Amino acid sequence: RNKSSLLLSENRNQDAYDLMKSEEEEFKDSPEFKFDFAMLSEKMGNTLLMEQLLLEAIKIKPDYATAYNALGYSYADRNIKLQVAKRYIEIALSFEPNNHYILDSMGWIHFKLGNIKIASQYIMKAYMINEDPEIAAHLGEILWVQGKEQEALKIWENSLNRHPSNTVLLETTARFK
């Protein structure tokens, strides 16, 4: 497992993928392995394999909040299967009601569904728990849509000062400036 982490830290995604693929049989009962492999598959652009692996992880570990969240968020981010995404995120939230990543996902799905007010409540709560750069990106986008451009710019600026190379943050701010 450590070997694949090392490859990932060196941005050697393909090598890490090949390694995990070769170890898949050995770890077939490990939901954590399936989760890590799913996240790597998504990075490589294979969302179908990602979905399959996350569903397998959930089957092994039915209270795997992080896997439910990853699946729901992935749908929300790609703007597909939004009702299914919302259900997965609700399940994740029922297991971990104060997890900032899951709160952020719940806000994001509401944003995609057009429930801006509910979205901002969830994402604001997530941001209060942890000023993660991706949460900051989402919060800024929602504030912007609500006509609060100055607040959005301030949140993005604060976050960019601390995380200057975060891709989600950079992509988001580039769209609005």
Side-chain angles (χ1 to χ4, degrees):
R1 291 296 290 290
N2 295 351
K3 210 156 130 195
S4 60
S5 303
L6 192 68
L7 291 169
L8 285 174
S9 68
E10 295 172 12
N11 266 325
R12 289 170 57 191
N13 292 348
Q14 187 62 53
D15 295 336
Y17 180 87
D18 295 341
L19 178 67
M20 289 191 92
K21 189 88 191 126
S22 71
E23 293 179 334
E24 196 176 11
E25 187 54 35
E26 192 185 332
F27 291 105
K28 67 177 186 296
D29 299 323
S30 164
E32 290 75 19
F33 178 86
K34 287 183 184 293
F35 180 85
D36 291 345
F37 196 17
M39 294 300 93
L40 179 57
S41 302
E42 185 183 36
K43 251 190 199 150
M44 308 276 296
N46 191 341
T47 51
L48 230 60
L49 180 59
M50 174 209 66
E51 289 173 26
Q52 180 197 324
L53 287 163
L54 288 173
L55 289 168
E56 287 172 17
I58 287 166
K59 208 171 179 172
I60 299 168
K61 186 177 173 183
D63 64 348
Y64 202 172
T66 312
Y68 279 109
N69 183 53
L71 199 51
Y73 182 80
S74 171
Y75 288 154
D77 215 42
R78 289 180 284 152
N79 218 0
I80 59 166
K81 302 183 187 177
L82 295 181
Q83 291 304 331
V84 178
K86 185 168 176 273
R87 185 73 202 112
Y88 283 139
I89 296 165
E90 284 168 353
I91 294 168
L93 207 54
S94 74
F95 293 124
E96 295 185 20
N98 294 312
N99 181 313
H100 52 280
Y101 293 118
I102 302 173
L103 287 164
D104 175 64
S105 296
M106 187 56 99
W108 202 232
I109 191 71
H110 276 289
F111 180 65
K112 294 285 183 170
L113 290 166
N115 310 327
I116 309 299
K117 203 172 173 209
I118 299 171
S120 85
Q121 289 166 347
Y122 276 108
I123 292 183
M124 190 64 86
K125 186 176 177 186
Y127 190 71
M128 299 299 230
I129 296 170
N130 187 322
E131 295 185 358
D132 178 272
E134 291 192 23
I135 299 174
H138 291 158
L139 181 57
E141 188 162 342
I142 287 173
L143 287 166
W144 190 282
V145 166
Q146 290 177 312
K148 302 172 182 170
E149 287 95 345
Q150 290 313 312
E151 277 182 62
L153 290 169
K154 208 169 99 185
I155 283 170
W156 287 333
E157 197 181 320
N158 283 340
S159 199
L160 278 168
N161 286 337
R162 281 176 300 182
H163 312 276
S165 57
N166 182 277
T167 49
V168 175
L169 198 54
L170 291 168
E171 284 166 11
T172 303
T173 52
R175 271 190 292 132
F176 288 94
K177 285 182 176 171

